[in-house]
């Protein structure tokens, strides 16, 4: 059985052999990949960020609404602003339309990643999906992102630290307390997690904490 990364690269290569390489957003010809340099530049967030999780905030705000309340994480990093339409489309297409190989574009934004987020981290853990949801979609987009970050950082991805045992409704559109209640008791932590002092949880969107 082919791994997701190998299958992703194979699909991308076959696509480029059959069709001319064009940017998935503006349709301009490109030599390789899925996004042209102009569109990648449009996707990069250049505004003020939360000093704790790095989410985009208003000019005079130090902490985002989530970090201003009680949280259980030390630090976070957000690569894009989800208010950007290209970013929103990239997430939608890779998550719900089967174009998971588009996520390989993340490695082209390496210079915009705050690598201090990996300081002291011993394991990368992708937010797991319930087995029924995984069977339906066929892949976990957060795991694909985690593997890309593993390649960039040299930190291993661990697959069995967290298991999602309850099938929950989508988090989109729910308020903070509704998201927390929706996920309550949905995950089980493997006892071997105790051996790690610091881990990095990877998701395709900001994870409720």
């Amino acid at each position: 059985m082919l791994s997701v990364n190998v299958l992703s690269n194979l699909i991308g290569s076959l696509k480029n052999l059959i069709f001319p390489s064009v940017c998935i957003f503006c349709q301009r010809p490109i030599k390789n990949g899925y996004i042209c340099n102009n569109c990648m530049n449009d996707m990069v967030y250049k505004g003020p960020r939360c000093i704790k999780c790095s989410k985009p905030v208003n000019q005079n705000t130090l902490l985002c609404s989530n970090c201003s309340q009680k949280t259980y994480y030390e630090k976070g990093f957000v690569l894009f602003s989800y208010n950007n339409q290209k970013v929103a489309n990239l997430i939608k297409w890779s998550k719900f339309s089967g174009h998971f190989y588009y996520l390989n574009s993340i490695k082209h934004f390496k210079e915009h990643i705050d690598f201090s987020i990996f300081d002291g981290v011993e394991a990368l853990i992708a937010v797991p999906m319930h087995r029924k949801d995984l069977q339906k979609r066929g892949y976990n987009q957060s795991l694909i992102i985690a593997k890309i970050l593993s390649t960039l950082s040299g930190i291993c991805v661990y697959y069995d630290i967290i298991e999602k045992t309850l099938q929950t409704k989508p988090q989109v559109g729910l308020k903070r307390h509704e998201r927390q209640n929706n996920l309550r008791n949905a995950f089980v932590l493997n006892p071997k997690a105790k051996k790690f002092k610091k881990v990095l949880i990877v998701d395709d969107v900001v994870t409720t904490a």
Side-chain angles (χ1 to χ4, degrees):
M1 179 179 291
L2 294 176
S3 68
V4 171
N5 275 353
V6 172
L7 184 60
S8 173
N9 292 331
L10 179 60
I11 292 175
S13 298
L14 290 174
K15 170 184 172 293
N16 289 333
L17 284 174
I18 299 172
F19 304 103
S21 291
V22 295
C23 174
I24 60 176
F25 297 121
C26 68
Q27 304 302 307
R28 293 173 182 168
I30 51 179
K31 292 183 178 180
N32 53 62
Y34 302 102
I35 306 174
C36 71
N37 290 334
N38 287 337
C39 287
M40 282 198 291
N41 186 58
D42 289 342
M43 294 171 68
V44 174
Y45 178 73
K46 304 177 179 69
R49 291 174 174 270
C50 171
I51 60 174
K52 185 171 184 178
C53 74
S54 87
K55 281 200 307 184
V57 294
N58 295 328
Q59 187 68 45
N60 299 319
T61 303
L62 293 178
L63 294 173
C64 68
S65 58
N66 189 58
C67 290
S68 63
Q69 303 179 55
K70 184 178 180 180
T71 58
Y72 298 92
Y73 52 85
E74 178 182 316
K75 184 179 181 180
F77 176 71
V78 176
L79 181 58
F80 304 118
S81 169
Y82 300 123
N83 291 325
N84 183 300
Q85 190 57 52
K86 288 185 175 68
V87 173
N89 284 338
L90 179 63
I91 294 173
K92 181 176 67 176
W93 295 338
S94 61
K95 190 171 183 177
F96 301 113
S97 300
H99 300 299
F100 55 86
Y101 41 89
Y102 286 172
L103 294 172
N104 281 321
S105 302
I106 292 174
K107 60 188 177 185
H108 298 300
F109 292 90
K110 180 179 179 179
E111 64 181 285
H112 301 287
I113 296 176
D114 179 6
F115 274 78
S116 69
I117 193 69
F118 299 110
D119 291 347
V121 171
E122 300 170 291
L124 300 182
I125 301 174
V127 174
M129 298 173 63
H130 188 270
R131 58 180 179 80
K132 291 184 178 179
D133 294 326
L134 184 58
Q135 288 172 353
K136 182 177 180 180
R137 184 172 298 166
Y139 58 92
N140 181 350
Q141 70 285 343
S142 297
L143 181 56
I144 296 174
I145 296 173
K147 289 181 177 181
I148 294 171
L149 295 180
S150 177
T151 301
L152 297 177
S153 67
I155 302 172
C156 291
V157 179
Y158 286 79
Y159 302 85
D160 59 348
I161 299 299
I162 304 176
E163 180 185 1
K164 189 172 186 182
T165 56
L166 294 180
Q167 193 173 20
T168 59
K169 59 184 178 182
Q171 295 279 81
V172 178
L174 299 180
K175 296 180 180 179
R176 176 183 167 88
H177 71 278
E178 293 174 328
R179 296 198 306 270
Q180 291 175 329
N181 290 333
N182 185 41
L183 296 178
R184 195 178 302 279
N185 300 320
F187 299 95
V188 172
L189 188 65
N190 190 314
K192 68 171 65 175
K194 294 180 180 180
K195 72 177 183 179
F196 299 117
K197 294 181 179 179
K198 187 175 182 180
V199 301
L200 180 64
I201 297 176
V202 181
D203 204 357
D204 59 313
V205 293
V206 177
T207 304
T208 299

